[in-house]
Amino acid sequence: MSHYKKELVQLQCALVRTQQALIASGTRTILVLEGRDGAGKDGSIKRITEHLSPRNTRVVALPKPSDREQSQWYFQRYVAHLPTAGEFVIFNRSWYNRAGVETVMDFATPSQQAEFLRDAPDFERMLIESGIVMIKLWLDISKKEQADRLTARRTDPLKTLKVSDLDAVAQKKWKAYSAARDTMLERTHNSIAPWLCVRADHKKPARLAIIRHLLQRVAPTEVVAAIDPPDPNILFPYTPEAAADGRLAR
């Protein structure tokens, strides 16, 4: 068994013990995973959920809003997927679509984007004050790594279902996505609902760091005591300097 696999199994066992405790306590937990196309969200989710209870774990990846949903309060369709007692919900992309792809692709108006950036911190504050534990992670990759991964999607028949029309513009609009990311992180990072950034060019270390951070946040004390914290060179708190000092890809 490889060193990575041994570490992964150890961490997954800790996740199982942690979920048992969360179910017993009725804790409601949200993990928000955001990142560029190809950043490794799906792979990370698979390793997190692989041995967790299907009854108490949900992965939410909403499609394009319907005409009815477009007429609703923007956050409304996400509220329907919030966790109940003992549930762990992972948003594979979330309400932050409005600050990312919708901004870059002009799917939302400037007024809608500004409204979102103003309202998102208040929305998250209300969730947290209601007792929900929320963890927000931004998975960051370099332009070259994204290009390699998107090419692999198109050439690997097992990854056909991952191919999207937006893949074709991900590289062309790289700078626009960078600018949208920087604005999103700066405007929605705060002490109540902070952003953590993950350098995800190397998938396996990134996955281990993500699981370690998740355990640090929600695992019982005795579980946390046996788990090393994530590598700070891989997973680190967002600061405005990260966008200028090379920690976040330009």
Side-chain angles (χ1 to χ4, degrees):
M1 185 182 293
S2 68
H3 179 68
Y4 163 73
K5 185 63 175 178
K6 288 180 181 178
E7 281 197 68
L8 180 61
V9 170
Q10 178 194 21
L11 294 174
Q12 288 176 328
C13 288
L15 281 174
V16 170
R17 292 178 61 195
T18 296
Q19 187 168 52
Q20 289 175 317
L22 295 176
I23 293 170
S25 66
T27 301
R28 295 170 292 156
T29 310
I30 291 175
L31 173 61
V32 171
L33 276 183
E34 292 289 336
R36 298 179 189 268
D37 291 325
K41 297 180 292 296
D42 291 337
S44 298
I45 290 170
K46 180 178 179 180
R47 274 67 184 185
I48 291 168
T49 62
E50 193 170 8
H51 301 290
L52 297 184
S53 165
R55 291 176 177 269
N56 298 88
T57 309
R58 287 189 287 118
V59 178
V60 178
L62 298 184
K64 178 183 177 181
S66 65
D67 290 343
R68 176 182 173 83
E69 288 171 330
Q70 287 178 344
S71 71
Q72 296 173 345
W73 176 49
Y74 176 72
F75 294 97
Q76 188 167 332
R77 71 181 189 137
Y78 295 100
V79 170
H81 298 279
L82 296 177
T84 57
E87 275 195 321
F88 174 36
V89 174
I90 301 175
F91 283 95
N92 183 359
R93 296 197 183 277
S94 63
W95 44 92
Y96 282 103
N97 270 340
R98 175 133 295 178
V101 63
E102 292 188 22
T103 294
V104 173
M105 300 301 296
D106 293 325
F107 294 157
T109 67
S111 175
Q112 289 173 324
Q113 296 159 19
E115 182 178 336
F116 171 81
L117 291 170
R118 183 194 68 215
D119 292 348
D122 288 332
F123 173 67
E124 293 172 358
R125 175 183 53 77
M126 288 188 287
L127 297 183
I128 292 165
E129 288 178 350
S130 78
I132 291 174
V133 177
M134 184 164 65
I135 301 162
K136 300 192 303 188
L137 297 179
W138 171 265
L139 277 60
D140 204 66
I141 55 173
S142 65
K143 187 175 183 180
K144 180 182 182 305
E145 182 63 22
Q146 184 191 60
D148 291 344
R149 292 183 187 182
L150 294 180
T151 298
R153 284 184 184 180
R154 294 192 297 271
T155 57
D156 185 343
L158 293 178
K159 296 181 178 179
T160 299
L161 294 176
K162 287 189 173 186
V163 176
S164 119
D165 292 340
L166 295 176
D167 290 352
V169 297
Q171 288 273 293
K172 293 179 182 177
K173 292 185 176 288
W174 177 269
K175 289 185 178 180
Y177 272 109
S178 294
R181 172 203 63 193
D182 293 348
T183 299
M184 180 194 79
L185 293 176
E186 182 180 356
R187 294 285 300 279
T188 61
H189 170 82
N190 55 67
S191 59
I192 296 174
W195 278 104
L196 281 294
C197 302
V198 183
R199 302 180 75 174
D201 269 11
H202 302 287
K203 293 181 181 180
K204 292 179 179 180
R207 291 168 186 165
L208 297 178
I210 289 168
I211 298 175
R212 288 183 188 281
H213 177 71
L214 180 59
L215 291 168
Q216 291 280 321
R217 283 292 309 275
V218 299
T221 303
E222 65 274 16
V223 174
V224 173
I227 301 296
D228 291 332
D231 184 339
N233 292 314
I234 297 175
L235 189 150
F236 54 91
Y238 166 76
T239 64
E241 293 75 22
D245 63 15
R247 284 178 292 164
L248 292 176
R250 303 308 304 163

